[in-house]
Amino acid sequence: RVAQAKEGETAMCLEARQKELAASHDALTNLRAEVEESNSKANTLHDQLQSATEQAVRHSDQAAELKREVRGLREQVELAQSREHDLGQRLKAKEEEHSSAQQ
């Protein structure tokens, strides 16, 4: 009887232990799924960050190019204004020369 009681107790302990192991296994399975989902989200965020960084670099390059173009256009405007001033001075001198030649 004592042996049977011990055997029954051992069987109950084993059964309880198996239930604990099954619960632990389920918990681990759920954790793995959460980790995979988290990794997937992290990879997506990393890809988005990389894409945004590349876009920012492109925009920075475009901005630098536009600044160079603006600088070049300003130089052209300044040159054109200088020419206009020079031509105005030459015209004024010619008009004065013409006026004094008529007198």
Side-chain angles (χ1 to χ4, degrees):
R1 270 190 179 175
V2 173
Q4 282 182 343
K6 281 200 173 214
E7 231 178 74
E9 193 177 304
T10 302
M12 287 174 45
C13 284
L14 283 174
E15 191 176 318
R17 185 69 180 135
Q18 283 178 332
K19 286 181 181 177
E20 288 175 10
L21 285 172
S24 289
H25 178 74
D26 290 346
L28 278 174
T29 301
N30 290 339
L31 279 175
R32 280 192 187 110
E34 286 179 35
V35 167
E36 286 178 16
E37 184 180 341
S38 180
N39 281 339
S40 177
K41 287 179 181 177
N43 288 338
T44 299
L45 288 172
H46 178 265
D47 291 346
Q48 290 173 345
L49 176 61
Q50 189 171 358
S51 177
T53 300
E54 290 169 359
Q55 187 176 17
V57 168
R58 281 193 304 275
H59 287 172
S60 177
D61 291 346
Q62 290 171 346
E65 180 62 30
L66 288 173
K67 284 180 183 178
R68 285 191 291 275
E69 286 181 31
V70 167
R71 194 176 316 119
L73 291 171
R74 280 189 183 135
E75 290 171 1
Q76 289 178 14
V77 167
E78 288 171 6
L79 183 61
Q81 288 173 338
S82 176
R83 278 186 168 155
E84 181 183 14
H85 179 73
D86 289 347
L87 288 173
Q89 293 297 321
R90 288 170 56 193
L91 178 62
K92 187 176 176 183
K94 288 282 185 191
E95 286 173 345
E96 287 174 3
E97 184 183 310
H98 181 71
S99 175
S100 65
Q102 282 184 341
Q103 290 175 356

